[in-house]
Amino acid sequence: MGRMVRKRRVSLGVAVLATGTAMLAAGCTGGHGPADDGRGQPPTASSSPSAPTGSVLAVKIDNARPARPHTGLRDADVVYVEQVEGGLSRLMAVYASKLPKAVGPVRSARESDLELLAQYHDPTLAFSGAQHKLLPLIDKAPLNAEPPGKATDAYFRGTDRPAPHNLYLRPARLMRSAAGAGALTNGFRYGAAPAGGRADASTTVAYPSARFTFRWSADRHRWLVSMDGTPTVTTDGQPVAPATVVVQHVRIRKSGFRDFLGNNTPYTETVGSGKAEVLRDGKVYQAGWKRAKAADGTDFTTGDGKPLNFASGQVWVVFVKA
């Protein structure tokens, strides 16, 4: 699963740097649950103009306070949360089942993103730029890089907030249609909940300068997200409510890159193994995770080594320091 494919090189030019480096600080289904939203299912992938058949769209999303509320976040199949400079957080939203009209605000990429995305088949990465020493690594990575300097007509500036928190992507300008959930070659399994688990109404994950709380809603049969103490809604006023939340304990170390203030960029290692907590159906399950190499998906297992199923719907994966 998640076989490595040929590397597609891109030229990232000066226009990318102008967009992304000026300011780098980042900011279950059940019988009584809602109708299945189609995510977590394996439909046949469809084609797109800028990427091969079966390619997911991954978008780096600003998560500083001025960047909220987000646009298009509820439509993502998977949302990854990573720690960045200054103890803040940034999101990566992965789209396969559906493409929203707009996504954002879009911000810059990190070195960790390349390892994380290697488990997807030739993914398309939308981002606003990157530290200039990182650009050659992005160019060599097995992905299709689509920054504003390359896909100018796919991006636009909003007028409701100041730059750099107002850059948005029109996914349809990159991909004719969604690839389908079969493009989610990340190793996730969906199905019935495992036995056991502990009832859990609320879980909080804290970074040095950011905090996420996931509160179980029995009415929605989903986890309601709050960031820094404020309920998370998108620009259309709808709450962000994943079906499954994974708190994945990983090694977070210093990278070879720094932001414009001189702060070291954390590197989140997603290849390896460790512990995790999986939240679904109002319960938390102790789990293990394993990813042998970058081209592999990530396996989550119960304490007895059996595959741990996620609830059908959006999945949030929050990386925390082991």
Side-chain angles (χ1 to χ4, degrees):
M1 184 170 289
R3 297 287 185 188
M4 191 74 74
V5 296
R6 64 181 179 80
K7 296 181 180 180
R8 181 173 176 178
R9 299 175 184 272
V10 296
S11 176
L12 294 178
V14 175
V16 179
L17 298 177
T19 306
T21 59
M23 294 185 68
L24 201 57
C28 346
T29 59
H32 57 286
D36 183 10
D37 60 11
R39 288 173 287 198
Q41 303 300 318
T44 302
S46 58
S47 62
S48 63
S50 298
T53 298
S55 173
V56 300
L57 171 64
V59 185
K60 286 308 300 288
I61 297 181
D62 190 353
N63 199 35
R65 288 177 185 266
R68 305 171 192 159
H70 301 105
T71 297
L73 191 61
R74 295 177 69 247
D75 292 321
D77 292 86
V78 184
V79 177
Y80 294 102
V81 182
E82 62 182 347
Q83 182 179 327
V84 293
E85 301 84 6
L88 295 169
S89 64
R90 188 156 294 181
L91 310 178
M92 179 189 287
V94 176
Y95 299 86
S97 302
K98 60 183 74 174
L99 296 177
K101 292 182 178 179
V103 178
V106 181
R107 287 299 297 272
S108 54
R110 296 293 186 275
E111 184 184 9
S112 302
D113 301 333
L114 307 184
E115 179 177 285
L116 178 61
L117 284 176
Q119 63 193 304
Y120 293 96
H121 178 91
D122 208 19
T124 294
L125 174 61
F127 61 107
S128 65
Q131 208 270 356
H132 72 280
K133 292 182 180 179
L134 178 58
L135 295 177
L137 299 183
I138 296 176
D139 187 46
K140 295 176 182 177
L143 54 80
N144 304 294
E146 295 285 357
K150 180 184 176 185
T152 306
D153 65 341
Y155 293 86
F156 67 96
R157 289 282 179 184
T159 59
D160 61 337
R161 61 192 73 179
H165 310 293
N166 63 349
L167 182 67
Y168 294 87
L169 171 73
R170 296 185 182 95
R173 301 287 179 92
L174 295 182
M175 312 177 81
R176 186 178 298 112
S177 61
L184 296 170
T185 55
N186 49 22
F188 296 176
R189 296 170 179 265
Y190 301 84
R198 173 177 55 82
D200 185 49
S202 180
T203 292
T204 295
V205 178
Y207 293 161
S209 301
R211 187 171 81 257
F212 297 83
T213 297
F214 302 94
R215 181 175 60 82
W216 177 247
S217 169
D219 292 338
R220 295 178 178 271
H221 213 67
R222 293 289 187 267
W223 298 92
L224 298 177
V225 183
S226 293
M227 299 182 186
D228 301 319
T230 301
T232 301
V233 297
T234 49
T235 46
D236 59 4
Q238 296 299 309
V240 177
T244 305
V245 178
V246 180
V247 181
Q248 186 174 343
H249 299 261
V250 298
R251 184 187 179 206
I252 300 177
R253 59 172 172 80
K254 291 183 177 180
S255 73
F257 301 93
R258 296 180 181 275
D259 67 7
F260 73 103
L261 295 174
N263 297 313
N264 187 270
T265 301
Y267 187 100
T268 299
E269 295 186 3
T270 55
V271 172
S273 61
K275 297 180 180 180
E277 290 83 49
V278 175
L279 283 63
R280 60 163 295 174
D281 303 325
K283 291 185 176 182
V284 57
Y285 296 87
Q286 299 300 316
W289 69 270
K290 183 177 181 180
R291 185 178 172 206
K293 56 182 184 296
D296 292 342
T298 307
D299 294 323
F300 290 90
T301 55
T302 60
D304 57 4
K306 295 180 179 179
L308 198 160
N309 293 330
F310 295 169
S312 180
Q314 187 179 80
V315 177
W316 276 55
V317 180
V318 185
F319 296 118
V320 298
K321 189 172 183 179

